[in-house]
Amino acid sequence: MVGGGRGAFIGAVHRIAARLDGEFVLVAGALSSDPARARASAVDLGLAPDRSYASYADMARAEAAREDGIEAVAIVTPNHVHYPAAAAFLRAGIHVICDKPLTSTLPDARKLKALAEKSGRVFVLTHNYTGYPMVRQARDMVARGQLGRIRLVQAEYPQDWLTGPVEASGQKQAEWRTDPARTGPGGATGDIGTHAYNLARFVTGLDLKELAADLDSFVPGRRVDDNAHVLLRFAGGAKGMIWASQVAPGHENGLKLRVYGEKGGLEWFQPDPNALWYTPLGEPKRLITRGGAGAGPAAARVTRIPSGHPEGYLEGFANIYQEAARAIRAARAGRKPPKDVVFPTIDDGVEGVAFVTACVASSKRNGAWTKLPL
Amino acid sequence: MVGGGRGAFIGAVHRIAARLDGEFVLVAGALSSDPARARASAVDLGLAPDRSYASYADMARAEAAREDGIEAVAIVTPNHVHYPAAAAFLRAGIHVICDKPLTSTLPDARKLKALAEKSGRVFVLTHNYTGYPMVRQARDMVARGQLGRIRLVQAEYPQDWLTGPVEASGQKQAEWRTDPARTGPGGATGDIGTHAYNLARFVTGLDLKELAADLDSFVPGRRVDDNAHVLLRFAGGAKGMIWASQVAPGHENGLKLRVYGEKGGLEWFQPDPNALWYTPLGEPKRLITRGGAGAGPAAARVTRIPSGHPEGYLEGFANIYQEAARAIRAARAGRKPPKDVVFPTIDDGVEGVAFVTACVASSKRNGAWTKLPL
Amino acid sequence: MVGGGRGAFIGAVHRIAARLDGEFVLVAGALSSDPARARASAVDLGLAPDRSYASYADMARAEAAREDGIEAVAIVTPNHVHYPAAAAFLRAGIHVICDKPLTSTLPDARKLKALAEKSGRVFVLTHNYTGYPMVRQARDMVARGQLGRIRLVQAEYPQDWLTGPVEASGQKQAEWRTDPARTGPGGATGDIGTHAYNLARFVTGLDLKELAADLDSFVPGRRVDDNAHVLLRFAGGAKGMIWASQVAPGHENGLKLRVYGEKGGLEWFQPDPNALWYTPLGEPKRLITRGGAGAGPAAARVTRIPSGHPEGYLEGFANIYQEAARAIRAARAGRKPPKDVVFPTIDDGVEGVAFVTACVASSKRNGAWTKLPL
Amino acid sequence: MVGGGRGAFIGAVHRIAARLDGEFVLVAGALSSDPARARASAVDLGLAPDRSYASYADMARAEAAREDGIEAVAIVTPNHVHYPAAAAFLRAGIHVICDKPLTSTLPDARKLKALAEKSGRVFVLTHNYTGYPMVRQARDMVARGQLGRIRLVQAEYPQDWLTGPVEASGQKQAEWRTDPARTGPGGATGDIGTHAYNLARFVTGLDLKELAADLDSFVPGRRVDDNAHVLLRFAGGAKGMIWASQVAPGHENGLKLRVYGEKGGLEWFQPDPNALWYTPLGEPKRLITRGGAGAGPAAARVTRIPSGHPEGYLEGFANIYQEAARAIRAARAGRKPPKDVVFPTIDDGVEGVAFVTACVASSKRNGAWTKLPL
C-alpha cells in the first residue's frame, strides 16, 4: 500500500476491502510521505519493519527484487501522487489498484495509460460504487434492453462536509482535497463528480458527446470548485445532468443515479444501496433487492449474504478487490480475465480526468458545450 | 368558470378547491368551446340554463350586466385562451382566477398585465403548489434567514405520462398540451417547468439573472419539448438546476424542491407534501410536519386539520382560492389585501412565460446563457 | 350538525368532507351544548338564526316539522351523546351520519341498532379510513384472492399527543376523550383502537373469534387507557395484533395495516395514504398508487384526481359522505343503495363498541381470551 | 470453526466478520458432521489437512494439545450441537464464540452456563444486531435518560422465506430450522424471536416480568411455530409486544425496534441500519446517522467509515468479533475486558432460551401469562 497512514481515510477502507474476502494480505507499505508517520503507521498495521518503506520508489524497487515481493499495490495517496507511484510499480512489473481520480492532470493520465498498456499488468481503478450488487443489476437490466433505448441520465452526488471553510481548520482530508496542486483542477468535480459520471457511464454504457458545466467555489477563499452543475449530451441523443456538491447541508454521501428509457426507469441511491427501483412503463414501481426476487446473476456474482441483511460500502468496495483478484489470477496464468469480471480500468480513469478537464474548460468558457479531450 | 367541461382535468380541481372552504359557489360557466359539450357540462354541474354561455365573451358581457352577476371567474382552458378570456372579464370588471401558465405567448402576457393593472381587479394565478402549508413554511424559514445566504436551488418536476406518443391516441389532455398553437412554444417547460421555476422563486425570493437550457422532444413527431434541462444563475450568486420531464418512467408528479444555504438545507417533495426536511448545518436532519412541532404561523394559516392526517393537492389548491377570497373581500371593501395574504400574481405569470420564452431561446442558441425577456 | 362548535376538531372535518363534492349543504345545527357557544358557532358558519338550535332534541323535532327540513344529520359530539342524539333523529325520520365510536356503552349501541333497523333510515358511521382509495384497493385485492387465504393481520395506531397529562391543562379534546363518562370505558381503545380494528375487518372481511388485551394508563391520574396491546384470533385461524397508543412520541396519526396471506402481503400507512405496497410471494414488492398503474375499479370509484397528486384525509372522509349521499338518494327513491356503495354501518358500530368492551373485560381478567359480546 | 461447511449460511458470515478487522485467522475446523463435506469444505477454505477434523470432539482435543492451537472457536452449527460443542471447547480451555440461540433446550443452556463460568473462558453469543452502531447509540440514549422512563417496547422480526413448505423441498436451512430435534421447541420464536427479544433488552436494559404468547404453525405439517405473537410485561411497568414471523410476504429480515418513554421515542430498522430516528417529545423527529451529527461515542467506537457510506450486516457482525477479540486479549492478560467492551454473554443466551421456553409454555396454556424459567 502506498499512502493510507495515520489520519488518512480511504487507506483503511482499502485495507478492509482487500481483507474482507481473504484474497489479499497486506505485507508492505510506503504509508506516508512523512517518514515518522510512515513508520508509526507500519507498526499500527503490523508490517515487518524492512517492508515499511520511506517512499513508493524504494518500495517498488525493493519489492520487485524480493522473491516474496508483493503481487499488487494499492495506491491511496492524494491524487497528484497517483501518477508517479503507479508508474513506478507498473515499471517494476507489479499490478496496480489505484484510487480515483486516476491522476491530477490529463497528461499524466495519458502517460499512465500508455505505460499500463505496455506493462501488461492489471490496472484497477477503485470507482467503488460500481461494485455494489444493485449497480451491477442496473447495468445488466439496461444492457438487456429492459428500459428500451435510454433517453435520460440524472446523476447527483451531494455532500455537505465542505459547507464551511473546513480546510482552514487543519482538517487533513479537506486540506489536500481543496489544494489544486494535490487534488487537480477540479474540486467537487474531481472528487465526487467523477464518481457520478463513472457510475452513469457504467450503468448505461453511453458515450459522452459533449458537456456544459457551471462550476462554483461558494466558500470564500476556496481554490477549487465545491459545486458543479453539468449538462450532458450523449452520443445517440440521450441527455443528462450531473450535480456534484460539497456544500449541500443535509447530504452525507448522497450519490444517486436515475436512468430513463423508452420502456422504463431505474433509480438507485447509495445510502440505501441494496434497493433498486424499477418501473416498467405503465406498471407499478418495483423494489428489487440485493439477493431478493428480481435480482439476477450480475448482482448474485457479487452478493455475499441473503436479502434483507444489508451489505454496505465496504462490501461494494471489496467487490472491486475481488474482481482485481480474479484478474490478477488470470494474468498470473497468462490469461485474460473471465468475461464476467468487471472493474473500472485505466480507460475509465482517463475518461474521468478528461471529464474534469472538460468541466473546468467549459465553465471557464461560460458553460460552452465542450467535448471530452480524449 | 371558463373551460372545465366534460373530459377536462383541471376544471374539476378548481371546482373542488373553490368549494372546499365554502368561499365560492359556482353559478355560471362557458364550460366548453363546443356548444353541445358546454350545455351538457352545465347540466352535470347544475348551472341554471341561462347562465351556461356559449362563449367567454357572452359570459363576461351577460354576467357583468346582471345584478347577481359573478364576482370572480376561474379560467381553466388550454393556455392560448387564457389571454382573451381573462381580458374579457377584466374589462367587464370581474376578478380573475386563472390557471397557469399565464398565456401562451409573452406579448399576450404583457398585454394582460397592463390590462390587469389598469382594471384594478384581483388577478390570481393558480401556481397551486405555493398553497401547500410546508411550502409556506419553507419560504418563511428562508425569509427568516434560517438557511443563511442561499447558494443552491435544485428543482425538478418529472412525470411519465408522455413517455409514449399519447397525443396520437386522441387523449384530450395530451393533444392540446403538445400542440404549440394551444400550449405555447414550451411543452414540459410551460406545463410543469413553470411550476418548478415558480416554486423555486416563491420559496427563495431570488431573482433569476440568466439561464441556459437544453430542451428535447424525445418522442418522434412531438411538436413541443417533453424534457427540459435548465441551469440557473440567480442575482447575488446563487445557482440552480431545473429538470422538467414528461418522459421519465416511474414519476407521476414528482415535483421536488431542495434549497441549500450557508447554514442549512431544506427538502420538499410534492407526493409527500406534509413533510419538510430541514438540516441545520452540523445537526441531525429534522422532519417538520404540517401542523406538528416545528411548523410556524406561515404554515398554520393554511392548515385545516391536525398533523399526521395528510392534507393533499386539493387542500393546497383550495388555499389559493382562500387567498383569492381574502383578496376579493378586501377589494370589495376598497382595501389592499392583508399583508399575510399570499398568492401568485400576474407578475409571477409574466415571469413564468418569460421563463419559457428564455428556455426556448437558449435551447435554440445551443444552450447559450439567456436573460429573461422582462 | 349536532356538535362541532367552536373549539371542536372533528366537526370542521365533517363540514369540509360534506361540502367537498357538493353533495351536502349545511343548513341547521345544534352546535354546542353550551347555548352561547352554539349561537356564536352558528353565526361563524352562516346558519339562519332560526335553524340554530339549543339542543339536538329541539333540532330533530323542528327540522322534522319543516317542509325544507334537513334530510340527514351529522353527529359529531363526544361519544356519550351519540346515542341519544342519533336516536332522536332516527325517530324523527332523518338519516344519520355519526362519528365513531358508535356509542359510549354497549347497551346504547344495541338499542341504537334496533332503532336504526326499525327506522329504515340510512345510518353511516364515519370510520373514515375506509374511505381512502387504497384501502378500498386493498379490500378488493383480498376479496379477489390475490393474497390467498389470510393468515396474519397486523394493525397499529400510535399517537403521541397524550404522552403528558394534557387533560389537566384544559385542552378540550383531551378532557372529554379521557373522561370515562363521555368517552366510554376505553380511552385509546375506543378512540383509535376501534379505527384499527374496523380497518382490519374492512380490508380482510374476517370475523373475530376472540381477543386478549393488556390495557394501560401510563400517565398518572388518567382515568382511561392510553395504550392497548391486543392479540386477535379470527374465525378460520388467522391471527393478528392491534397496538393503539396515545403515548408513543414520534407518531402523529400512525395508523398502519399489514395483511399477509399464503400468496402475498399488503402494507398501508395512513400518513402516506396514496401508496399501497403489495408483495406477491416470491416477486419484488410493488408500489400501487392511487390513480396509477395497478389500481383497480374499487379505488377508481373514490378517486378524484390523477396519480402523483396526493389526496388526503379530507378526501377520504369526503368519500364516506359521497357514499352516504348515494345511499340517501337510493333511500329517497325507495331503493337499496347500489352494490358498489360501501360505508361503515351501524353493525360496524356495534362491533366496535363490543371490541372496546371485550378489550376492557379481557384486560381486567389479566388478558384472558374473551369473545366479543355480540 | 465448528459447522459452516458447504451449503451453510451463517458460517460464511462468521468467517467474513472474523476476518474483516484482521483480528482472527481461520486455521482449523470441523466444518460438517458429514466427513466428505467436512474435507471438501476445508479445502475450499484453505485449511491445512491435519487441522480439518471429523468432529468437534476431535478438534477440541487436538487443538488444545497443539502449541499453536486455536485460541477461540466459532460454533455455527444447528442449535442442538451448540451445547455439546461449546462444552467440549470450554473444557479444553478454548474461548467460545457461539451462534444463537445458545442451545436447543433450557437444561443444556443452564449446564453450559455453569461450565462457562467454571472455565473462566470468554463466551460470546453472536446476537449480532447488538453490534450495529445505531443500536449502540440507542442503548446509550436510553441509558442516559434521553427518553425518560421507558413505557413501551415494540419489537418485530418478520420474514417471508418460510411462507410455503420450503422444508419439504430439501432446502437445508429450512430443514433443520423446522426440525424440533435440531432447532429446539421454538421455530420462528427461537430463530428470530430471540433476536428481537435480545435487542429489546439490550437497548432498554429492562427485565422481563412475564409474557403471554400465541404461537402458530401456519404451514400444514410444519413441526415448529412459524409465527409468534407475544405480549410483554417488564419489571417496573413498561409493556411491550414482539411479533416474529417467517410467513409474512414482503419482509426479508425486517427486524424493527421502537422504544417510547415519557420524554421521547426511538425507532430503528435493520434493513436501514445506519439510521436512528429520535423524537424528543414536542419537537420534530430527528434522523441520527452512523458517523453523523448526533451520534455519540457508543456508536463511534464501532464505526469504521464516515457517515453516508452505509455499513451493513457484516460490519455489525464484525463488531461482535472485535469485542470478542478485546475480551480475549484481556483474558490472555489475566484482566477483565475494558468497561466499554459490550457483547452478548452466556447470560443473554440463557435468557433467550428461557424466552423460547416461556413462549412455548404460555402458548400451550392458551396464552397465559408466564414468567421466564430463570
Side-chain angles (χ1 to χ4, degrees), chain C residues 183-324:
Chain C
T183 200
T189 308
D191 201 31
I192 52 177
T194 49
H195 272 310
Y197 176 61
N198 178 263
L199 186 65
R201 284 183 61 240
F202 181 80
V203 169
T204 65
L206 293 174
D207 286 321
L208 192 70
K209 210 179 74 184
E210 53 187 349
L211 61 76
D214 201 23
L215 310 186
D216 283 276
S217 300
F218 280 110
V219 172
R222 183 157 290 161
R223 291 176 294 160
V224 292
D225 64 84
D226 49 24
N227 189 81
H229 281 161
V230 190
L231 300 183
L232 308 173
R233 290 176 179 164
F234 294 97
K239 295 291 181 79
M241 276 178 150
I242 286 179
W243 172 44
S245 185
Q246 294 168 324
V247 295
H251 295 283
E252 294 171 336
N253 281 288
L255 177 60
K256 178 182 278 189
L257 179 68
R258 297 179 287 181
V259 179
Y260 307 95
E262 295 178 351
K263 291 164 52 182
L266 285 177
E267 303 172 50
W268 181 81
F269 185 45
Q270 198 258 157
D272 187 17
N274 296 281
L276 178 66
W277 295 96
Y278 166 49
T279 309
L281 182 62
E283 296 183 29
K285 189 174 291 235
R286 293 171 193 185
L287 171 58
I288 302 176
T289 56
R290 187 195 49 75
R301 267 191 78 248
V302 289
T303 287
R304 287 169 192 78
I305 53 174
S307 62
H309 280 143
E311 292 194 32
Y313 176 87
L314 293 168
E315 290 86 337
F317 216 111
N319 288 333
I320 305 293
Y321 268 86
Q322 280 262 33
E323 302 286 42

Side-chain angles (χ1 to χ4, degrees), chain D residues 35-60:
Chain D
R37 187 187 299 219
R39 273 193 305 276
S41 305
V43 171
D44 291 351
L45 299 175
L47 298 189
D50 67 322
R51 297 183 83 175
S52 167
Y53 300 95
S55 74
Y56 57 78
D58 289 356
M59 179 175 163

Side-chain angles (χ1 to χ4, degrees), chain D residues 10-347:
Chain D
I10 204 68
V13 167
H14 278 256
R15 287 192 294 268
I16 296 175
R19 191 165 56 219
L20 198 139
D21 296 301
E23 302 278 13
F24 294 91
V25 179
L26 178 68
V27 291
L31 299 171
S32 174
S33 54
D34 174 73
R37 187 187 299 219
R39 273 193 305 276
S41 305
V43 171
D44 291 351
L45 299 175
L47 298 189
D50 67 322
R51 297 183 83 175
S52 167
Y53 300 95
S55 74
Y56 57 78
D58 289 356
M59 179 175 163
R61 196 162 35 230
E63 289 292 322
R66 290 178 74 110
E67 201 138 311
D68 65 347
I70 58 171
E71 263 192 298
V73 67
I75 298 176
V76 298
T77 63
N79 304 342
H80 69 302
V81 182
H82 291 180
Y83 167 63
F89 285 92
L90 288 174
R91 285 194 186 107
I94 293 169
H95 304 296
V96 172
I97 297 165
C98 183
D99 212 75
K100 48 49 59 184
L102 180 63
T103 59
S104 58
T105 74
L106 188 56
D108 280 0
R110 288 181 180 136
K111 283 186 279 180
L112 195 56
K113 184 185 167 182
L115 203 58
E117 285 173 354
K118 208 175 94 184
S119 76
R121 298 296 94 184
V122 172
F123 193 101
V124 174
L125 191 74
T126 51
H127 269 309
N128 56 291
Y129 302 109
T130 65
Y132 274 117
M134 299 322 281
V135 168
R136 301 290 180 100
Q137 172 72 19
R139 170 190 167 97
D140 191 57
M141 292 173 74
V142 171
R144 287 172 190 277
Q146 282 187 255
L147 270 62
R149 186 189 181 84
I150 299 304
R151 289 169 168 173
L152 290 167
V153 184
Q154 303 290 115
E156 64 181 44
Y157 197 149
Q159 299 179 323
D160 62 9
W161 70 296
L162 292 177
T163 296
V166 187
E167 61 266 48
S169 72
Q171 209 257 43
K172 195 179 172 243
Q173 290 297 320
E175 242 177 54
W176 77 255
R177 284 177 206 263
T178 58
D179 173 5
R182 285 179 280 175
T183 199
T189 309
D191 200 31
I192 53 178
T194 50
H195 272 309
Y197 176 60
N198 178 263
L199 186 65
R201 285 182 61 239
F202 182 80
V203 168
T204 66
L206 292 174
D207 286 321
L208 192 71
K209 210 178 75 183
E210 54 187 350
L211 60 77
D214 201 23
L215 310 185
D216 284 275
S217 300
F218 280 108
V219 172
R222 184 157 290 162
R223 291 176 294 160
V224 292
D225 64 85
D226 50 24
N227 189 81
H229 281 161
V230 191
L231 300 183
L232 307 174
R233 291 176 178 165
F234 293 99
K239 296 290 181 78
M241 276 177 151
I242 286 179
W243 172 43
S245 185
Q246 293 168 324
V247 294
H251 295 283
E252 294 171 335
N253 281 287
L255 176 61
K256 177 182 277 189
L257 179 69
R258 297 179 288 181
V259 179
Y260 306 96
E262 296 177 353
K263 293 164 51 182
L266 284 177
E267 302 172 51
W268 181 81
F269 185 45
Q270 199 259 156
D272 187 17
N274 297 280
L276 178 66
W277 295 97
Y278 166 49
T279 309
L281 182 62
E283 296 183 29
K285 191 174 290 236
R286 294 171 193 186
L287 171 58
I288 302 177
T289 56
R290 188 194 50 73
R301 266 191 80 247
V302 289
T303 288
R304 288 168 190 79
I305 53 173
S307 62
H309 280 141
E311 292 193 30
Y313 177 86
L314 292 169
E315 290 87 336
F317 215 111
N319 287 333
I320 305 292
Y321 268 86
Q322 279 263 33
E323 302 287 40
R326 292 187 191 109
I328 291 170
R329 270 197 295 269
R332 206 196 279 154
R335 290 194 317 267
K336 291 203 165 183
K339 273 199 179 154
D340 60 354
V341 169
V342 171
F343 57 83
T345 65
I346 199 157
D347 288 323

Side-chain angles (χ1 to χ4, degrees), chain B residues 1-12 15 30-46 76 78 170-173 176:
Chain B
M1 173 165 283
V2 176
R6 289 180 180 179
F9 146 57
I10 204 68
R15 287 191 295 267
L31 300 169
S32 174
S33 53
D34 174 74
R37 187 186 300 216
R39 272 192 305 277
S41 305
V43 171
D44 292 351
L45 298 175
V76 299
Q171 210 257 43
K172 194 179 173 243
Q173 290 297 319
W176 78 255

Side-chain angles (χ1 to χ4, degrees), chain B residues 79 131 164 170 226 303:
Chain B
N79 304 342
D226 49 24
T303 288

Side-chain angles (χ1 to χ4, degrees), chain B residues 297-313:
Chain B
R301 267 190 81 247
V302 289
T303 288
R304 287 168 192 79
I305 53 173
S307 62
H309 281 143
E311 291 194 32
Y313 176 87

Side-chain angles (χ1 to χ4, degrees), chain A residues 269-305:
Chain A
F269 185 44
Q270 199 258 154
D272 187 17
N274 296 281
L276 178 67
W277 295 97
Y278 165 49
T279 309
L281 183 62
E283 297 184 28
K285 190 174 291 235
R286 295 171 193 186
L287 171 58
I288 302 177
T289 56
R290 187 195 50 74
R301 267 192 78 247
V302 289
T303 288
R304 288 168 190 80
I305 52 174

